[in-house]
């Protein structure tokens, strides 16, 4: 979320583990304010479809999605304009519906609507801080892992989120550390220190069945160490990309990341703790903090008494691509056509983040509209210094040096428009160019880390690369890759007239209509 243009974003691409009404691939999605208490504390939030998390948006590989987003936001204490970013959907040939306000569109004004229409041909997988979070699932009838599990539906989706008791725009104070979450919500419910013993989420299983759990970290800030007492987890997918099966008993999952894991319900009938320990906020599991319940059919309706004993955690460098793909480019550091090193820092006042010495400040005209209006190079595009031009059909290598905790590290960086090959993980010092995992969100690591990624520029348009910790994003930790600027002009014939109308409507809003005043 970028407060300076006051827009909200729905990041989606896994699924909700509590069963909510699903919509899609065609349907309306109303965004409105309502009072909720997912951890027992009442506050007004921003909701999609009237629930937190929002309804599952679902379809099948090859479907055409038409989701009409209707903005009914009314609370002036929060942003009243919105846009929806479909996190993990690459929008090939449809950059204009990526939903990134200030880059690919203007926000949707309150009282207005916008139809997001796009195809999902080659993907299958799985605001923000004020509650507008939801999930998007594309099922694949030819999933190569389908023989490994028996159950994969809305009941097998697990969401991890942080929660705050005040509107997000009141929590960011330049020069001060970002706020710590007060509660961690699993499938939309949780508890906070000193709060009531609200009911915890329950994930039900039957003995002898194998479950594909779609795990999504839809947090504003923290990463989580996730585990289920007494059970191993076999990873088969990361950020929508199939992986070779890898068995672990715990995994770290960063903001914006997703995993599919297979759990075999082969333990004695009982209740088992599901644990999501955050790296920021109240850690531990006393009194049901950071917890949910895995309940076998036939087990009593009671809290588990199990304990956590993990010894086989996920190391990202151990993840392998399902097809053992060769990384494009030459198998050496800097062996791409274009090599860019992006260093994270803060400005001299300590109030804003920078990448290569530049803070991303949202332009008043979206980058896509600037290009379609005649800008033909990065030097012509705003914001100055934060836009990098990428030529078409070239191999790109991006190096993301890690940062210490004093700079908010580790930072999870998310790329719009592409998945990428992770040739070096942020918590590892080995470079690999064969069979590495592909994904779209990577942890850059701490001060001694350096995540290095590669992708091919085959998707014209401007695409965000940004830290997925929402507070850091809001403080400028982002750049835009203007990919194939000349080829982007071909989008003109596809863009609907309703897209052209978004900016004039937004520009004419009064401060009260914008909100957060």
């Amino acid at each position: 979320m970028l407060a300076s243009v006051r827009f909200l974003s729905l990041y989606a691409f896994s699924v909700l583990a509590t069963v909510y009404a699903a919509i899609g691939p065609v349907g309306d999605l109303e965004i409105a304010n309502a009072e909720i208490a997912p951890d027992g504390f009442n506050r007004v939030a921003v909701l999609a479809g009237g629930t937190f998390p929002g309804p599952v948006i679902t379809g099948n590989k090859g479907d055409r999605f038409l989701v009409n987003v209707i903005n009914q936001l009314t609370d002036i204490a929060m942003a009243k304009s919105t846009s929806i970013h479909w996190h993990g959907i690459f929008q090939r040939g449809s950059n204009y519906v990526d939903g990134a306000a200030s880059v690919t569109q203007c926000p949707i004004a309150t009282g207005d609507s916008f139809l997001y229409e796009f195809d999902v041909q080659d993907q299958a997988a799985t605001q923000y801080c004020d509650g507008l979070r939801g999930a998007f699932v594309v099922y694949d009838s030819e999933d190569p892992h389908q023989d490994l599990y028996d159950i994969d539906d809305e009941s097998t989706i697990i969401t991890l989120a942080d929660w705050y008791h005040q509107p997000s725009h009141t929590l960011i104070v330049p020069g001060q550390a970002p706020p710590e979450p007060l509660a961690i919500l699993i499938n939309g419910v949780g508890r906070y220190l000193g709060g009531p013993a609200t009911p915890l989420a329950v994930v039900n299983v039957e003995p002898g069945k194998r479950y594909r759990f779609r795990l999504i970290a839809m947090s504003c800030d923290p990463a989580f160490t996730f585990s289920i007492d007494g059970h191993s987890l076999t990873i088969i997918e990361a950020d929508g990309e199939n992986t070779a099966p890898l068995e672990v008993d715990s995994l770290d999952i960063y903001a914006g990341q997703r995993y599919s894991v297979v759990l075999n319900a082969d333990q004695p009938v009982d209740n088992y703790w599901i644990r999501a320990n955050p790296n920021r906020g109240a850690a531990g599991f006393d009194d049901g903090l950071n917890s949910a319940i895995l309940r076998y059919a036939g087990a009593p309706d009671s809290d588990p008494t199990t304990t956590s004993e993990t010894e086989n955690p996920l190391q990202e460098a151990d993840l392998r691509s399902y097809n053992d793909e060769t990384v494009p480019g030459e198998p050496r550091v800097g062996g791409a056509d274009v090599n860019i090193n992006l260093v994270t820092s803060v400005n001299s006042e300590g109030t804003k983040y920078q990448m290569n010495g530049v803070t991303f400040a949202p332009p008043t005209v979206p980058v896509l509209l600037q290009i379609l209006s005649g800008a033909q190079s990065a030097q012509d595009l705003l914001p100055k210094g934060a836009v990098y031009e990428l030529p078409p059909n070239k191999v790109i290598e991006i190096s993301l040096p890690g940062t210490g905790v004093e700079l908010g590290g580790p930072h999870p960086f998310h790329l719009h428009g592409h998945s990428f090959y992770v040739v070096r993980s942020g918590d590892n010092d080995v470079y690999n160019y064969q069979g590495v995992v592909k994904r779209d969100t990577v942890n850059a690591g701490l001060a001694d880390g350096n995540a290095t990624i590669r992708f091919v520029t085959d998707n014209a348009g401007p695409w965000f690369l940004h830290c997925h910790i929402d507070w850091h994003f809001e403080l400028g930790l982002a750049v835009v890759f203007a990919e194939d600027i000349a080829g982007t002009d071909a989008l003109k014939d596809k863009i609907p007239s309703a897209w052209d109308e978004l900016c004039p409507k937004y520009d004419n809003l009064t401060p009260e209509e914008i909100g957060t005043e």
Side-chain angles (χ1 to χ4, degrees), residues 372-456:
L372 298 180
S373 299
Q376 290 300 307
S377 71
Q379 291 72 31
D380 299 329
L381 294 168
L382 299 175
K384 289 291 187 183
V387 180
Y388 291 74
E389 182 176 355
L390 300 182
N393 303 312
K394 298 296 183 181
V395 178
I396 311 299
E397 180 173 295
I398 306 297
S399 176
L400 297 163
T403 60
V405 293
E406 73 280 0
L407 289 181
H411 298 281
F413 281 95
H414 170 58
L415 177 62
H416 294 210
H418 293 273
S419 62
F420 47 71
Y421 300 85
V422 182
V423 300
R424 177 182 170 181
S425 294
D427 56 1
N428 192 282
D429 60 3
V430 176
Y431 291 86
N432 190 359
Y433 302 94
Q434 183 64 45
V436 301
V437 68
K438 292 179 70 177
R439 62 186 323 154
D440 60 44
T441 306
V442 68
N443 158 37
L446 293 170
D448 58 349
N450 186 316
T452 304
I453 63 175
R454 283 190 189 176
F455 61 96
V456 176

Side-chain angles (χ1 to χ4, degrees), residues 249-440:
D249 58 17
S250 69
L251 60 87
D252 288 342
I253 181 169
Y254 292 84
Q257 291 187 329
R258 296 88 65 206
Y259 288 104
S260 283
V261 299
V262 175
L263 176 141
N264 190 353
D266 59 358
Q267 297 301 301
V269 171
D270 205 343
N271 295 297
Y272 298 83
W273 285 118
I274 299 173
R275 304 175 187 266
N277 208 25
N279 67 345
R280 297 196 74 242
F285 308 102
D286 291 346
D287 300 320
L289 286 179
N290 310 317
S291 302
I293 298 170
L294 181 78
R295 176 164 293 155
Y296 278 68
D301 185 4
S302 61
D303 283 352
T305 58
T306 57
T307 57
S308 177
E309 298 179 4
T310 60
E311 56 185 21
N312 184 28
L314 168 66
Q315 303 295 326
E316 185 184 57
D318 291 338
L319 284 173
R320 313 298 294 170
S321 65
Y322 178 76
N323 293 320
D324 193 33
E325 295 180 57
T326 300
V327 175
E330 297 180 13
R332 58 178 177 82
V333 175
D337 298 311
V338 177
N339 301 279
I340 301 173
N341 188 50
L342 293 173
V343 177
T344 296
S345 62
V346 296
N347 62 5
S348 58
E349 296 82 12
T351 57
K352 296 284 187 178
Y353 276 104
Q354 298 176 326
M355 298 197 80
N356 286 356
V358 177
T359 296
F360 180 85
T364 56
V365 177
V367 178
L368 177 57
L369 182 55
Q370 295 177 50
I371 294 172
L372 298 180
S373 299
Q376 290 300 307
S377 71
Q379 291 72 31
D380 299 329
L381 294 168
L382 299 175
K384 289 291 187 183
V387 180
Y388 291 74
E389 182 176 355
L390 300 182
N393 303 312
K394 298 296 183 181
V395 178
I396 311 299
E397 180 173 295
I398 306 297
S399 176
L400 297 163
T403 60
V405 293
E406 73 280 0
L407 289 181
H411 298 281
F413 281 95
H414 170 58
L415 177 62
H416 294 210
H418 293 273
S419 62
F420 47 71
Y421 300 85
V422 182
V423 300
R424 177 182 170 181
S425 294
D427 56 1
N428 192 282
D429 60 3
V430 176
Y431 291 86
N432 190 359
Y433 302 94
Q434 183 64 45
V436 301
V437 68
K438 292 179 70 177
R439 62 186 323 154
D440 60 44

Side-chain angles (χ1 to χ4, degrees), residues 32-37 41-47 74-75 77-78 129-131 163-167:
N33 298 113
E35 187 172 282
I36 59 173
F41 182 91
N42 286 286
R43 62 155 292 188
V44 176
V46 178
L47 303 181
T74 57
D75 195 321
M78 289 177 281
C129 303
D130 288 319
W163 193 246
Y164 305 81
H165 290 171
Q166 296 173 257

Side-chain angles (χ1 to χ4, degrees), residues 231-245:
H231 294 78
S232 61
L233 306 169
T234 300
I235 299 171
I236 59 172
E237 171 253 319
D239 297 355
E241 297 283 352
N242 289 317
T243 67

Side-chain angles (χ1 to χ4, degrees), residues 184-202:
I184 299 304
L185 310 182
I186 302 180
N187 294 346
V189 291
R191 296 174 183 172
Y192 64 96
L193 282 174
T198 55
L200 298 174
V202 176

Side-chain angles (χ1 to χ4, degrees), residues 13-234:
F13 206 102
S14 265
V15 239
L16 309 179
T18 305
V19 179
Y20 294 104
I23 65 172
V26 177
D28 291 336
L29 185 65
E30 183 175 293
I31 312 300
N33 298 113
E35 187 172 282
I36 59 173
D39 61 352
F41 182 91
N42 286 286
R43 62 155 292 188
V44 176
V46 178
L47 303 181
T51 63
F52 177 80
V56 179
I57 299 173
T58 184
N60 296 302
K61 187 175 177 180
D63 281 349
R64 186 167 186 80
F65 285 82
L66 294 92
V67 182
N68 186 39
V69 174
I70 304 168
N71 183 357
Q72 297 293 341
L73 295 170
T74 57
D75 195 321
I76 194 172
M78 289 177 281
K80 292 171 63 177
S81 298
T82 190
S83 68
I84 306 298
H85 166 57
W86 313 97
H87 182 91
I89 299 294
F90 303 141
Q91 301 296 356
R92 295 195 181 279
S94 53
N95 173 271
Y96 50 90
V97 287
D98 186 52
S102 81
V103 175
T104 62
Q105 70 168 89
C106 281
I108 306 166
T110 182
D112 197 14
S113 64
F114 181 71
L115 178 67
Y116 289 90
E117 183 174 358
F118 52 89
D119 294 318
V120 180
Q121 297 294 344
D122 58 352
Q123 293 177 251
T126 319
Q127 127 212 357
Y128 202 66
C129 303
D130 288 319
L132 183 51
R133 317 182 204 186
F136 194 126
V137 186
V138 181
Y139 293 102
D140 183 2
S141 63
E142 299 180 354
D143 174 21
H145 294 305
Q146 58 189 339
D147 291 340
L148 299 180
Y149 55 86
D150 306 304
I151 311 294
D152 175 26
D153 57 26
E154 290 173 41
S155 72
T156 64
I157 303 162
I158 300 177
T159 61
L160 311 176
D162 48 352
W163 193 246
Y164 305 81
H165 290 171
Q166 296 173 257
S168 60
H169 76 94
T170 68
L171 299 176
I172 285 289
V173 179
Q176 295 185 15
E180 291 195 345
L182 296 179
I184 299 304
L185 310 182
I186 302 180
N187 294 346
V189 291
R191 296 174 183 172
Y192 64 96
L193 282 174
T198 55
L200 298 174
V202 176
V203 179
N204 294 293
V205 297
E206 294 183 16
K209 297 288 188 181
R210 301 167 301 167
Y211 293 82
R212 176 178 180 159
F213 289 133
R214 296 176 182 260
L215 181 65
I216 177 172
M218 50 172 56
S219 56
C220 291
D221 188 339
F224 306 98
T225 299
F226 179 85
S227 64
I228 300 178
D229 288 0
H231 294 78
S232 61
L233 306 169
T234 300

Side-chain angles (χ1 to χ4, degrees), residues 492-507:
K492 282 183 177 179
D493 294 335
K494 298 181 178 181
I495 293 177
S497 59
W499 185 91
D500 294 320
E501 297 168 2
L502 290 172
C503 288
K505 290 178 179 179
Y506 180 77
D507 292 341

